[in-house]
Every structure is written in structure tokens, then in C-alpha cells.
Amino acid sequence: MKVYIKNKLMSVGGSSAVLNENQESVFRVKGRVFSPTRVKWVCDLDGNKLFKIRNKWLNFFVHKAYIYDADKNKICTVKDKWFNIHNEYFILGYKDEIKIDGRFFSLRANILRNGQPFGSVRRQITIIRDAFELEANEEDMPFLIAIVIAIDNITDKKYKR
């Protein structure tokens, strides 16, 4: 399955549209209007919350975001490195080893689970807003959307966007 995550151009809370190849909505990403930790939820089309993403309150050198499941249990931490020259990100605390192989904010990166290909993400070049193309199995898609949103949150916070 292939989806496109596009940050909405005019969104106060930082919401995003998640569309399939036919430009139909398949998931929603809702953002909170005034949130210093950039809280966002990945929701299905019925509005059911699947994942919550939020940044760490204070970041000094290493930036982090947390992903919670629908029952508010923290399932993993997404973080960068102190000097993140190559835009590398790490997923820690998840039941499986998740690694992003390649530079996430370059053009293309593979997502590996326990060393096996799990999905791929490609940044789409736009001038006005962030957009990503994500390809993975349908059952893995909500979690991978949460990872992409977490990394986008970290980058936005780091560069004060």
C-alpha cells in the first residue's frame, strides 16, 4: 500500500492529510491548536485515535518524540543524534528493532524491522509544505505514519517551524 502524507497548508494545529494513490483519505492526522510539545494523533476515518505523538518538553542537544498507542501506553521513543549531520533517527523501546536505513530527509529511506525491509519513505519536494510518500503493508501503515509524523515533529521543533 502506498500513502501520501501532506501537511495541510492552512492548519492551526498542524494537521495532515493521509491519502492513497487515488487521492482518497485513508487516515487523518489531527494536531492540537496550542501545544508546546506538538501533540498529534493518527486517527482512522471514523475519528478513532490509533496513535498519539508528542515531542519531549525540553530538548537541549538530542531531540525526542514519543509514540503512544490508543490506550495511552508509550510504545517507543524516536530520537535523533546530538550532532545529526546525516539526519539519522532511531526508534527505541519498541518490541522489534526498527531502523531507518538512509537519510530520512534526503530523498529516500528504507525502514527495517529486525533487519528486514518493513517500508520505505520518500520525501516529496515541495516549496510550501512537507509531503512524504510512504509504502508498506496495510496493517503496518498506521504505526509507520506515526513514525513519519514523529520525525517531522522533531525536525519542525528543532528548526522552530
Side-chain angles (χ1 to χ4, degrees), residues 17 20 24 45 80 140:
N20 65 13
E24 301 165 331
L45 291 179
D80 67 356
D140 299 324

Side-chain angles (χ1 to χ4, degrees), residues 123-136:
R123 184 177 182 150
Q124 296 185 326
I125 306 299
T126 62
I127 296 171
I128 300 173
R129 61 184 174 175
D130 290 334
F132 305 94
E133 177 185 294
L134 178 62
E135 190 169 0

Side-chain angles (χ1 to χ4, degrees), residues 51-65:
F51 293 99
K52 175 184 175 182
I53 301 104
R54 75 167 188 84
N55 283 7
K56 183 178 176 187
W57 178 260
L58 292 173
N59 294 288
F60 294 105
F61 300 107
V62 176
H63 295 79
K64 295 181 182 178

